Amino acid sequence: MSNRRGIYLVANQKSETHCANLIASIRNTGCTLPIRLIHFGGTPVQQTYIYKQVEVVDVATFPQEAFDFINNLQEVLTDCPKGFLLRFLAWFGDWDEFIYSDNDIVALCNWDIFFEHLQDHDFVHADFEYKAKGKYNFNNPEAVGKLFGEDKLNTAFTAGHFAARRKREFIDDFYQAMDWYRAHPTIAKKHDQAFMHIASLLGNWNILNLCKAPHNWLSSWAGDYNNTLDLIHALQKTPDNCHISHIHYSGGYPSGTHPVHELLFAKSGYRKRLTSLVINGSIELLGITYLLRKKKRLTSRLNQAFKSLKLFTFL
């Protein structure tokens, strides 16, 4: 069977620095897979380097069902910007197998290896999201255990990086997950990662997590490493057959100020890296980042309270 394969990214001008660094890291591993870029929304990507490396895919090239699906999904996942939902377009494309990746990621190995594992599985990932026990996906993780089985929280994965087959069954499971969300409006968080986990449970996806036995790959989350030296030491301590596929800087917008953020500057020259450190470091030291983070959390809580009040009034 001859499969058409490639990598999907979603980006705009705001994320283009990370996107360019991601692309450079993919290419530096020797990976020659074609890369398609879907416009996130807002101001488009500007960097010439990116346009030389990717095929920009207009959303208009996807079938009408894809538009209808995204619009319906946006009504269900009300806490998720529409741009985040565009990752689901990959299942409506023409590649038989694909990798989707967020921009705040750095490739550490040739991602061709993911497709080797897709021969026996429909969905492959490498992360420790399952250790969170549903904390970031569900408002009520216990309810998920009661509905699907106590062990199902251990099947969680991040929506930021995965390899998958393009099968109609996935799309059908997504529609089922929409119905599930409407029937259980308070259990799961209304974002893409929780939605995908619910769809996987409803569809009983054939999933492989390379961070679990027998593969035992290292954690791909940057938060599990203090700095790049810590990452190197972790690699030195592992068996020869243990891998780490990528580093994911999720959990906020990485500014480059933390020691483990060094890999985000892999493509940057000396002056650009130094300028970024000076600007973002000053913002961090002045406490502006802290205040903005507090403001964001307060705004989120107020929005949630307002939505709950509206629901209570409706009932």
Side-chain angles (χ1 to χ4, degrees):
M1 179 179 177
S2 178
N3 288 338
R4 286 170 50 79
R5 298 168 170 170
I7 300 170
Y8 280 103
L9 310 177
V10 179
N12 61 8
Q13 187 180 34
K14 181 179 179 181
S15 61
E16 70 174 0
T17 299
H18 289 161
C19 182
N21 190 71
L22 166 61
I23 293 170
S25 69
I26 292 171
R27 294 303 184 224
N28 286 343
T29 67
C31 180
T32 60
L33 288 167
I35 300 174
R36 287 177 175 172
L37 178 69
I38 301 171
H39 177 44
F40 179 91
T43 306
V45 165
Q46 304 293 308
Q47 289 193 27
T48 303
Y49 170 78
I50 295 177
Y51 284 106
K52 288 182 178 179
Q53 294 291 330
V54 307
E55 173 193 359
V56 178
V57 183
D58 193 312
V59 293
T61 62
F62 292 94
Q64 182 61 43
E65 184 187 7
F67 288 102
D68 296 338
F69 173 82
I70 296 297
N71 290 333
N72 290 331
L73 188 57
Q74 191 175 18
E75 294 177 0
V76 174
L77 302 184
T78 52
D79 295 337
C80 195
K82 186 175 183 178
F84 290 0
L85 305 182
L86 298 181
R87 74 193 67 206
F88 292 97
L89 291 176
W91 275 283
F92 295 89
D94 60 353
W95 282 340
D96 300 310
E97 299 174 348
F98 62 87
I99 291 171
Y100 167 79
S101 178
D102 282 351
N103 295 292
D104 57 347
I105 281 176
V106 179
L108 298 183
C109 77
N110 189 325
W111 287 353
D112 284 335
I113 194 171
F114 280 93
F115 295 107
E116 296 176 14
H117 295 287
L118 275 181
Q119 294 177 19
D120 299 315
H121 301 85
D122 295 324
F123 190 95
V124 179
H125 66 107
D127 57 72
F128 281 13
E129 184 63 35
Y130 69 95
K131 289 191 173 183
K133 302 297 182 183
K135 175 182 177 181
Y136 302 111
N137 285 351
F138 304 107
N139 301 312
N140 188 353
E142 293 78 14
V144 177
K146 291 178 180 178
L147 288 169
F148 296 101
E150 296 299 331
D151 62 328
K152 295 306 180 183
L153 292 175
N154 289 325
T155 64
F157 50 84
T158 175
H161 188 277
F162 57 84
R165 292 179 181 271
R166 180 178 59 87
K167 298 176 64 176
R168 179 67 209 188
E169 287 84 351
F170 277 101
I171 298 174
D172 294 338
D173 294 337
F174 293 144
Y175 282 119
Q176 283 193 71
M178 280 194 238
D179 292 336
W180 185 94
Y181 260 75
R182 295 185 182 103
H184 306 84
T186 61
I187 295 178
K189 295 185 184 296
K190 295 178 172 60
H191 61 60
D192 48 0
Q193 182 165 293
F195 176 81
M196 288 181 66
H197 190 194
I198 290 296
S200 74
L201 296 177
L202 292 169
N204 194 27
W205 292 2
N206 180 12
I207 298 178
L208 173 66
N209 183 356
L210 292 166
C211 287
K212 290 184 176 182
H215 302 284
N216 299 315
W217 286 19
L218 295 180
S219 172
S220 57
W221 184 47
D224 284 333
Y225 306 96
N226 294 319
N227 48 51
T228 48
L229 182 61
D230 195 21
L231 173 61
I232 293 170
H233 285 167
L235 284 166
Q236 294 292 332
K237 295 174 184 176
T238 59
D240 291 339
N241 62 345
C242 187
H243 295 275
I244 179 168
S245 55
H246 62 282
I247 286 288
H248 192 180
Y249 293 91
S250 59
Y253 190 82
S255 63
T257 56
H258 294 242
V260 75
H261 290 175
E262 180 63 28
L263 295 177
L264 291 169
F265 293 109
K267 187 181 179 299
S268 301
Y270 170 76
R271 294 186 65 85
K272 185 175 180 180
R273 172 183 176 279
L274 188 58
T275 300
S276 177
L277 285 173
V278 170
I279 295 173
N280 291 310
S282 298
I283 292 173
E284 186 83 27
L285 290 173
L286 290 171
I288 297 174
T289 303
Y290 173 79
L291 293 174
L292 291 174
R293 188 160 53 243
K294 285 290 186 181
K295 178 184 176 184
K296 182 177 179 181
R297 288 177 181 174
L298 178 60
T299 302
S300 176
R301 288 178 181 176
L302 288 174
N303 287 336
Q304 289 295 331
F306 181 68
K307 289 175 183 177
S308 298
L309 180 62
K310 285 178 65 179
L311 178 62
F312 177 78
T313 304
F314 176 77
L315 294 173

